[in-house]
Amino acid sequence: MRMTVAEALVRCLELEGVEMVFGYPGGAILPVYDALHKSSIKHILVRHEQGAVHAADGYARASGRVGVCLATSGPGATNLVTGIANAYMDSVPLVLITGQVPTSQVGTDAFQEVDITGITMPITKHNYLVKDPARLPQIIKNAFHIAATGRPGPVLIDLPRDVAGAEIDFEYPSGVFLRGYRPTYRGHMGQIAQAAALISQAERPVIYAGGGILNARATAELQELAEKIQAPVTNTFMGLSGFPGDHPLFLGMLGLHGERAANLAVTNCDVLIALGARFDDRVTGKVSQFAPRARIIHADIDPAEIGKNVRVDVPIVGDVKHILGALLSKVAPGERAAWLAQIAAWKEQYPLTYQKEAAVLKPQAVVEHLYRATAGEAIVATDVGQHQMWVAQFYRFKRPGSLISSGGLGTMGFGLPAAIGAQLGRPDSRVILVTGDGSLQMTMQELATMVEQQLPIKIFILNNHTLGMVRQLQEYYCEGRYMAVNFAFHPDFVTLARAYGIAGYQVESEEQLTALLPEILGHSGPALVNCLVSAAENVSPMVLAGCGIDEAIDC
């Protein structure tokens, strides 16, 4: 079938099962938009390209599909960069298609030209500059395969305008041809047998599970293993929702702002079973004091992560779901009553708590009320900062993949567009955005996208009139010298919401929140709730720089 490359690209997306794309048009990408006009693929028009990539990210996390976004050349492409880096660090499968100036003008500093493949090379799994029109179908096929397999991640395709307009005989390839790209899925059975023997002999095992559990869809196997060997489970931030938050074996999050029982358990365990996690600095604290008494088993699909940050006794490269399936058939059931009794004692001694004050709305209380009102079954998107950590601590996720947040890059402004993508990816689910007044103002133009798409997202702003996490860091590392963290101007978020046609509420006390919450959550359309919370509240506990995770302090 004869067609233009732009038409072929859209046809490729249809054959890959793409239902929607997120984007913002411009001159260089115009042929693709013209081809979309005849397609059944739904286009979500955002208000900024950063919103497109974050929305595609949220869509991918919530739906389990590859997220797709479009942008034009130059500033359109560079506006994607933060979101690409965010997806790369959090292992989110995206295909990003950018327009480019004609091939004859590449390298001439033409209008709206940037070397986006060069710029994004360190933050993509792979990227392409399409020079040969006939190769476009194979490139699209390869891009979706690379994005979704192995350790997922973003793939960028840069399409010059003259190539987009060229005609080809279209035929979509049946397979991929990628020399050297063959992710390992089946773990080495010898290594799995070693791990099973180590676990069976353990007296104080702990399972440390990261985002790889969710990517591998291995949450059921994780729970089965924990129950069979009677080992407590702690999640990284990215791994939250990978294990039921109300399960008796759940320790909560570990690390910098993790629960003390989780940090103490890891510090005192004799076998640490790391699954789909990468031992990042916010988890380990001082590496020499991390799990010092433990033999470490590390299972991950990315061989580059094994042994990168900590020593590993039993490395297993492969898909965590397969590895857990094989491990379950080899490990012996365990009781470990003494170890679980010690865990219970730590939980009782060091509960997550905060000081309640009748006249002040505490941010932790807002999250607790949301958890109780939704029974832990909502999809919760967050931005980055104190509110993000309070969600991690006080919302006990019951459903896999129900936390949508920026982990590795820590991107303020991620939350609103990601919530939009999540709601579009899971239209029958309740989506709640918990954000801060600083984060929301970075991408709040996407309120228009939310309204235009008629999405019933409920936004809760934990508004402390400050950049709370930076203020907390200045309190501890700058001796309380606060600089550039307090907002002198405070927008009226309720009026702003109503200007967009969104139901707006202001809440200043826990009593008021309790009274209004049924109405807010029962509202059929979008709603924004401006929660005026304590400005001096800190996230507690906290592990200071240079300390082990067992040395957390109360803030």
Side-chain angles (χ1 to χ4, degrees):
M1 186 183 299
R2 196 77 176 165
M3 61 179 69
T4 67
V5 167
E7 291 169 334
L9 187 154
V10 172
R11 182 68 183 133
C12 291
L13 295 182
E14 291 170 345
L15 292 170
E16 284 292 334
V18 174
E19 296 176 340
M20 68 180 65
V21 297
F22 303 84
Y24 203 94
I29 197 71
L30 211 58
V32 176
Y33 272 84
D34 191 39
L36 269 175
H37 188 267
K38 296 172 283 188
S39 173
S40 61
I41 295 172
K42 183 176 183 179
H43 179 270
I44 309 300
L45 177 62
V46 296
R47 298 314 190 257
H48 189 287
E49 290 89 354
Q50 185 175 349
V53 64
H54 289 329
D57 185 316
Y59 172 87
R61 298 191 203 213
S63 69
R65 302 163 67 91
V66 176
V68 181
C69 71
L70 304 175
T72 196
S73 63
T78 57
N79 281 342
L80 298 177
V81 170
T82 296
I84 295 171
N86 188 84
Y88 183 74
M89 292 195 71
D90 284 355
S91 305
V92 180
L94 300 181
V95 170
L96 309 114
I97 300 162
T98 53
Q100 184 56 277
V101 299
T103 51
S104 62
Q105 296 177 9
V106 170
T108 68
D109 293 331
F111 176 67
Q112 290 195 331
E113 181 202 355
V114 295
D115 178 10
I116 194 62
T117 54
I119 289 169
T120 61
M121 190 175 293
I123 53 170
T124 51
K125 276 190 77 175
H126 196 59
N127 62 32
Y128 297 90
L129 172 61
V130 185
K131 298 178 181 178
D132 180 356
R135 288 200 62 224
L136 186 279
Q138 188 67 64
I139 286 172
I140 296 291
K141 187 73 174 179
N142 291 352
F144 276 84
H145 178 75
I146 293 168
T149 57
R151 180 178 178 175
V155 178
L156 183 136
I157 301 167
D158 198 29
L159 183 64
R161 180 159 182 170
D162 60 325
V163 175
E167 288 194 346
I168 60 171
D169 292 316
F170 177 75
E171 182 180 350
Y172 199 50
S174 58
V176 297
F177 304 95
L178 294 163
R179 185 183 302 168
Y181 180 71
R182 291 181 178 84
T184 300
Y185 284 94
R186 304 185 70 82
H188 190 283
M189 293 308 296
Q191 297 297 95
I192 291 171
Q194 283 188 44
L198 207 57
I199 292 167
S200 297
Q201 297 163 11
E203 295 180 0
R204 303 183 307 280
V206 168
I207 298 172
Y208 150 51
I213 287 289
L214 295 163
N215 287 339
R217 296 173 175 78
T219 55
E221 290 84 355
L222 171 62
Q223 185 171 338
E224 187 178 349
L225 177 68
E227 291 171 351
K228 183 173 183 179
I229 67 174
Q230 285 296 289
V233 177
T234 182
N235 280 139
T236 66
F237 176 74
M238 288 301 300
L240 289 172
S241 81
F243 193 78
D246 57 353
H247 196 287
L249 289 172
F250 186 53
L251 287 167
M253 183 177 70
L254 81 161
L256 175 65
H257 293 296
E259 297 192 37
R260 287 193 172 191
N263 287 351
L264 288 169
V266 168
T267 301
N268 291 280
C269 70
D270 59 357
V271 172
L272 183 65
I273 308 159
L275 304 170
R278 59 189 179 87
F279 294 89
D280 72 284
D281 57 297
R282 288 173 70 91
V283 162
T284 62
K286 188 175 182 179
V287 174
S288 62
Q289 292 178 218
F290 182 77
R293 303 169 182 83
R295 303 286 297 279
I296 297 178
I297 300 162
H298 188 187
D300 201 284
I301 201 163
D302 185 353
E305 291 296 345
I306 295 180
K308 185 176 79 174
N309 294 325
V310 301
R311 58 168 183 81
V312 175
D313 298 285
V314 183
I316 311 173
V317 177
D319 179 75
V320 172
K321 189 178 184 74
H322 170 266
I323 291 167
L324 283 173
L327 198 55
L328 279 164
S329 67
K330 294 183 176 297
V331 292
E335 289 301 324
R336 300 184 170 90
W339 178 228
L340 294 180
Q342 175 62 77
I343 298 288
W346 282 328
K347 285 184 176 181
E348 185 176 356
Q349 186 176 359
Y350 302 111
L352 278 177
T353 188
Y354 58 95
Q355 189 71 41
K356 286 183 175 283
E357 299 175 39
V360 178
L361 177 61
K362 290 300 182 80
Q364 301 95 323
V366 176
V367 177
E368 283 187 318
H369 279 286
L370 286 173
Y371 168 63
R372 286 195 289 267
T374 60
E377 296 188 346
I379 294 175
V380 181
T382 82
D383 270 292
V384 172
Q386 289 179 314
H387 69 272
Q388 181 188 39
M389 292 297 101
W390 286 317
V391 167
Q393 291 177 335
F394 290 96
Y395 196 97
R396 298 295 188 177
F397 295 91
K398 291 184 182 176
R399 295 183 181 273
S402 53
L403 172 62
I404 311 291
S405 192
S406 171
L409 195 64
T411 307
M412 291 177 68
F414 172 81
L416 176 57
I420 289 169
Q423 186 72 83
L424 287 164
R426 297 261 292 275
D428 297 330
S429 297
R430 182 196 297 276
V431 175
I432 292 172
L433 169 63
V434 179
T435 185
D437 49 316
S439 288
L440 184 64
Q441 291 183 77
M442 288 196 168
T443 52
M444 66 184 181
Q445 69 273 6
E446 300 307 334
L447 290 170
T449 309
M450 181 177 73
V451 173
E452 189 169 85
Q453 297 301 322
Q454 301 178 6
L455 302 178
I457 298 166
K458 307 302 184 285
I459 301 170
F460 289 81
I461 306 171
L462 302 189
N463 188 349
N464 54 13
H465 294 161
T466 184
L467 297 174
M469 187 60 84
V470 183
R471 181 201 56 75
Q472 179 170 338
L473 295 174
Q474 288 178 343
E475 180 176 327
Y476 282 91
Y477 296 122
C478 303
E479 299 178 344
R481 294 183 295 274
Y482 301 120
M483 175 64 190
V485 290
N486 295 314
F487 294 118
F489 172 77
H490 312 304
D492 184 342
F493 286 109
V494 174
T495 300
L496 176 71
R498 291 171 180 166
Y500 280 97
I502 299 168
Y505 301 84
Q506 183 141 309
V507 172
E508 301 183 26
S509 69
E510 192 169 349
E511 181 182 12
Q512 194 179 9
L513 176 67
T514 304
L516 283 173
L517 204 50
E519 176 186 336
I520 294 164
L521 295 179
H523 180 63
S524 60
L528 181 148
V529 187
N530 187 34
C531 302
L532 298 180
V533 299
S534 169
E537 199 73 12
N538 284 339
V539 179
S540 184
M542 177 180 177
V543 177
L544 296 177
C547 295
I549 59 172
D550 59 326
E551 300 175 309
I553 63 169
D554 291 319
C555 296

